[in-house]
Amino acid sequence: MKIVQLLFFLILFLQNPNPLSSLSPDGLSLLALKSAMDSSPSSVAVFSDWNENDSNPCHWSGVSCMKVHGFPDPRVVGITIAGKNLKGYIPSELGSLIFLRRLNLHGNQLHGSIPDQLFNASSLHSLFLYGNNLTGSLPPSICNLPRLQNLDLSSNALSGGIPSSFSSCRELQRLVLSRNKFSGEIPVGIWSKLQNLMQLDLSSNSFTGEIPNDLGELKSLTGTLNLSFNEFTGEIPKTLEKLPVAVSFDLRNNNLSGEIPQKGTFSNQGPTAFLNNPSLCGFPLQKSCQNIENPSSGSSVSGQERGSKPKKGLKPGLIILISVADAAAVALIGLVIIYIYWKRKDSPNGCCSCTSKTKLGSNNQNQNGTMGCSLFSCSCANGEAEESDLDSPSEKDSHEHNTSSGDQEEGNLVAIDKGFSFELDELLRASAYVLGKSGLGIVYKVVLGNGIPVAVRRLGEGGGQRYKEFVAEIQAIGKIKHPNVVKLRAYYWAPDEKLLICDFISNGNLAFALHGRNGYASGGGSLSWTTRLKIAKGAARGLAYLHECSPRKFVHGDVKPTNILLDNDFNAYISDFGLNRLISITGSDQTSTGGLIGGALPYMKAVQTEKPNYKAPEARVIGMRPTQKWDVYSFGLVLLELLTGKSPESSSSPMASASTSSRGESGVDLVRLVKRGFEVEKPLSEMVDPMLLQQVHAKKEVMAVFHVALACTESDPEIRPRMKTVSENLDKIGN
């Protein structure tokens, strides 16, 4: 180790002997990280300002520092270089950063093992290395860190078992080892000592043996105890009944056997928690334990042995007939799927396209004015979003024409969707109605000459010299094709006017559906639980698509009920994504009331001033840039609003104390109150919207959505799930 460090510092000295001595010891250790990466363009870009000529590394990208008592200069306390596609290894020199508290290198392509020397950084409390290609085993010295709280090594290729030394990780709060190659039995006797552990995820490995009994002693556990997709055997320990009531289980895809316990925490679990364990029986599975083979004798307990008459089985001929019918049904379904696949593949516009190039207003229109092809979605299975129709030759020519004449007085109306066609004069002559106004522009409902309504957003009059930037953003937004995202159909650009033409969604927004026309007063909505769950699933799918499958990997930045639109069937649509950038380009002054579309009513004041705060805690720091984890937090608040029927600042929350009800609760307060409700084991009837109490069968589903919402609203953004995971978890509920 010492020889390697000496060689490293010697090389740096030979390259630049004079300035090197001015660089702090922390800076020298950081340069080891830079040297451990390859020379790819992504690495060069990330470390472009990591200069050995600097005396202090605290202004380098991804490095954070803090003044430490007893030291004249700030010391490095954080390294965050995530999702940069870096290729290299983790250098042992990082262990010399004795004040390093947080190391976040997730989402890269780092290889090799985790060096033991890294854990010489005794101040380290958060280590995020998930989503790399790391190999080897868990270093035994990992729990030498006295302050270790967060350890996420998921989605790597780590192997071996969990060392018994993990009992020394007394401060550990989150342990995530999912999607690796770990194997062997989980040690017994370590979990009772981890009294601060809040999250445990060991899923998608090859763990064997029985589930340890002392997992039931994790008194601080919240969210999901995830042991799914392993090779656990034996019965489910009854000690898990003692876990907090807010904990949900995921024990799918194991080899567990016996009867599912019925008391304590198990009474709140749904059937999805136990699927694909062939020898499990009992509630909530629809499998009686009387028909399960007795593990001790190896033979089934027959009706005769119980003193009852034996039941006759199905006749062989009937069994054959049922098998043939099942095979025929499967074959028919397969043929239908293949037919639909080739029909879509051969359509002129590809993914999400119509089978014929019809104009808006033809027989392919539904009642909401959306194209029939919008019912399809581009699958995320291949990790790529389909190309939009924006790149057709005719439209490219139109873009080039406008680029060359960006300063001309006349504007140009460009249709993004080939099946959507109308003239500018038709738009200007159409009847228009003001829907509302916000910082993102005035929105009108415009009824075209063929009777089809569209939503038109007026962005403003500025940005005449930034046409190329404007079109680049429009192209990215126009490529979004998903059934739960509002579709951009066309746009109009001129030096003094910018318009966006989108589908008109007919049934208002989620805020109106929940609370009625009087804004956030109670008593307006009467949504059933089935409808609320449908809305939550649809909105999650749309937001996950924007995060994962869109060309820009969009961050919405303003997720709230008013930006979740609903059609007549209560399908959810995410709206207003990507607009913040367009507003900054156009330099819009949204206080203006002029420039109304022809035929519009005189400007009316916006529907209501929105008070609830759906921002994540870190989003309230001035100057911070939005992230996808902000969206996850905001969506979690929307889920809590669906569950409780109260907005984050509702002054009539049944959970609020008298001292807080007069001033209203912020989003953080709503999360705190819900968590407190679970901690003191309040009855569900005191926390949910009274409307949901009429549906007794929904209790388990409501509990499951509470778990998802609380995971989304974790204060630490690093441990919030991705929207893709949130969407997948919601889709499991009620199915």
Side-chain angles (χ1 to χ4, degrees), residues 22 164 204 243 292 513 533 581 600 629 688 725:
S22 63
S164 56
S204 299
L243 289 173
I292 298 298
L533 184 57
R581 173 63 178 159
K629 290 302 180 72
V688 302
T725 303

Side-chain angles (χ1 to χ4, degrees), residues 64-261:
S64 55
C65 297
M66 181 180 292
K67 186 70 175 178
V68 178
H69 179 69
F71 292 86
D73 298 321
R75 303 301 298 266
V76 173
V77 296
I79 303 173
T80 302
I81 308 176
K84 301 298 184 181
N85 200 34
L86 297 177
K87 297 179 180 179
Y89 62 92
I90 301 174
S92 58
E93 286 81 2
L94 295 182
S96 62
L97 298 172
I98 58 174
F99 293 103
L100 182 66
R101 301 179 182 180
R102 185 186 189 93
L103 177 60
N104 186 352
L105 301 176
H106 84 260
N108 290 294
Q109 298 186 45
L110 303 179
H111 57 79
S113 60
I114 303 173
D116 285 332
Q117 295 84 351
L118 177 63
F119 305 108
N120 293 331
S122 55
S123 299
L124 197 63
H125 67 66
S126 295
L127 182 61
F128 301 106
L129 301 178
Y130 58 92
N132 283 287
N133 300 317
L134 298 173
T135 56
S137 59
L138 289 174
S141 57
I142 198 168
C143 285
N144 290 348
L145 299 173
R147 300 178 179 88
L148 184 62
Q149 297 177 6
N150 303 297
L151 179 63
D152 192 339
L153 305 178
S154 59
S155 298
N156 280 287
L158 297 169
S159 57
I162 297 178
S164 56
S165 60
F166 260 67
S167 60
S168 302
C169 292
R170 301 297 177 90
E171 301 299 320
L172 195 61
Q173 297 180 11
R174 295 170 182 88
L175 176 60
V176 184
L177 303 177
S178 58
R179 297 183 297 281
N180 276 284
K181 298 180 180 179
F182 292 116
S183 59
E185 297 186 4
I186 297 181
V188 178
I190 66 174
W191 308 104
S192 59
K193 301 176 182 178
L194 304 184
Q195 291 301 301
N196 295 308
L197 195 64
M198 300 169 59
Q199 180 182 10
L200 178 61
D201 189 348
L202 305 178
S203 61
S204 299
N205 283 288
S206 298
F207 287 116
T208 57
E210 297 185 352
I211 297 175
N213 286 319
D214 57 338
L215 282 180
E217 300 184 37
L218 294 174
K219 301 301 184 182
S220 298
L221 206 62
T222 61
T224 300
L225 172 61
N226 197 341
L227 305 177
S228 62
F229 293 91
N230 280 288
E231 300 172 18
F232 289 114
T233 57
E235 297 184 352
I236 300 175
K238 291 185 177 181
T239 53
L240 299 187
E241 296 173 345
K242 300 185 296 182
L243 289 173
V245 67
V247 174
S248 59
F249 299 139
D250 192 346
L251 305 177
R252 295 171 298 153
N253 291 81
N254 281 287
N255 297 315
L256 298 172
S257 59
E259 184 175 4
I260 299 172

Side-chain angles (χ1 to χ4, degrees), residues 437 516-520 605-610:
K437 177 185 178 184
R517 193 174 297 277
N518 295 322
Y520 294 96
K605 194 173 182 179
V607 181
Q608 273 90 23
T609 302
E610 294 181 40

Side-chain angles (χ1 to χ4, degrees), residues 80 106 543 547 553-559 616-619 623-635 716-718 720-721 723:
T80 302
H106 84 260
L543 197 54
H547 283 190
K553 302 294 188 292
F554 276 102
V555 174
H556 191 293
D558 195 22
V559 176
E618 70 273 13
M624 295 292 288
R625 298 186 63 181
T627 68
Q628 292 183 350
K629 290 302 180 72
W630 292 17
D631 290 349
V632 174
Y633 187 96
S634 300
F635 182 78
D716 187 346
E718 292 294 340
R720 293 173 203 153
M723 272 309 305

